[in-house]
Amino acid sequence: MFAINHAATALVIKKKYPQAPMWLLLISVQLMELLWVILNYLGIEYSTTETTVSSVLDVHLTHMPFSHSIFSTLIVAAIARLVINKVFNKPKMAIAITIAIVSHIALDLLTHSQDIALVPFMSLDKLGLGLYTIPMVAFIVETLYGILCWWQYKGSTSLLITIVVFNLANFTFFSTEFVGPESLLANHPLLLTSTVFVQIVLTLIMVGYQSRRNVNDKIVISQA
């Protein structure tokens, strides 16, 4: 799933667990992806592309046994829950952060095509329901998912616009007929890594800012 909709997931968790800081939720929903970025830069994990990239079908997350394995995700989530629960004595926040971390791999299992390992380096079939094999359906599902998260959060209009605009910015990545900047990624896997990292940073900043505005607006209204 693309960065904006992972970020939108934090809105739903925040609604359920208001005591969890939004900035921490936003980092948590992208924690495994940030690990993926670091491991790609280090050459421990890597991606490949076709000689021509016209859509998400031409990008392959070839080797990511640590950042995107179910076992690794559960271990990271368990450690986070233990630290927050035992060190900071915040059990509800611990649950929220655990859900946020696990949500990333859960959403990627829906969209990715058999590139998610169950356990690193074990000879098992990789997992993924493969929604990205039907790019335009994936685009519609992702966009609707982002809007649903906004609706659950009861966010501001500006937050909705942010989610929709970021989804629309990825449109050509889901279309084989309209070629966009994704064509520059061909044979440049680290450019893909950098693009994902930039999207993560921008979406976390924008969703975090717009959700904060939403809270401030509610405070003003309640005081009026």
Side-chain angles (χ1 to χ4, degrees):
M1 186 161 280
F2 276 62
I4 182 59
N5 299 311
H6 282 299
T9 303
L11 299 172
V12 179
I13 303 171
K14 177 67 174 178
K15 182 73 174 179
K16 178 69 175 178
Y17 298 94
Q19 57 273 78
M22 178 59 83
W23 67 268
L24 188 55
L25 289 173
L26 286 167
I27 292 174
S28 297
V29 295
Q30 290 285 32
L31 186 59
M32 303 311 291
E33 196 85 330
L34 290 169
L35 178 61
W36 175 84
V37 169
I38 293 170
L39 294 179
N40 269 260
Y41 281 139
L42 292 175
I44 297 172
E45 296 187 348
Y46 57 86
S47 304
T48 58
T49 72
E50 300 294 336
T51 53
T52 301
V53 175
S54 59
S55 76
V56 69
L57 293 172
D58 300 319
V59 174
H60 310 293
L61 305 176
T62 310
H63 184 70
M64 47 180 190
F66 301 110
S67 66
H68 283 69
S69 81
I70 295 176
F71 179 78
S72 299
T73 301
L74 293 177
I75 290 297
V76 171
I79 292 172
R81 181 169 184 174
L82 181 65
V83 170
I84 297 171
N85 212 354
K86 299 299 183 181
V87 177
F88 298 99
N89 194 28
K90 295 184 180 293
K92 288 188 177 181
M93 186 188 298
I95 295 173
I97 299 307
T98 300
I99 294 171
I101 294 171
V102 173
S103 73
H104 189 96
I105 200 73
L107 291 172
D108 281 359
L109 280 168
L110 171 65
T111 55
H112 287 211
S113 300
Q114 292 80 51
D115 54 24
I116 295 174
L118 179 62
V119 180
F121 300 120
M122 287 192 68
S123 299
L124 300 171
D125 291 339
K126 292 184 178 180
L127 306 174
L129 294 179
L131 186 60
Y132 283 158
T133 59
I134 320 172
M136 287 310 300
V137 173
F139 171 74
I140 294 170
V141 170
E142 285 217 16
T143 303
L144 290 177
Y145 174 79
I147 294 172
L148 178 62
C149 290
W150 165 84
W151 180 76
Q152 287 285 335
Y153 182 68
K154 301 191 186 313
S156 64
T157 302
S158 58
L159 179 58
L160 173 61
I161 292 172
T162 296
I163 292 171
V164 172
V165 167
F166 270 102
N167 272 289
L168 289 176
N170 293 320
F171 174 76
T172 58
F173 216 96
F174 292 94
S175 171
T176 55
E177 297 180 4
F178 299 95
V179 179
E182 65 277 356
S183 61
L184 301 174
L185 301 178
N187 300 316
H188 294 93
L190 285 183
L191 181 56
L192 169 66
T193 304
S194 299
T195 301
V196 170
F197 179 62
V198 169
Q199 282 204 4
I200 291 172
V201 173
L202 289 177
T203 55
L204 295 192
I205 290 172
M206 290 302 297
V207 171
Y209 173 71
Q210 296 296 347
S211 63
R212 183 179 179 183
R213 283 190 58 189
N214 190 63
V215 171
N216 290 337
D217 290 344
K218 288 180 179 179
I219 292 174
V220 171
I221 291 171
S222 66
Q223 291 176 345

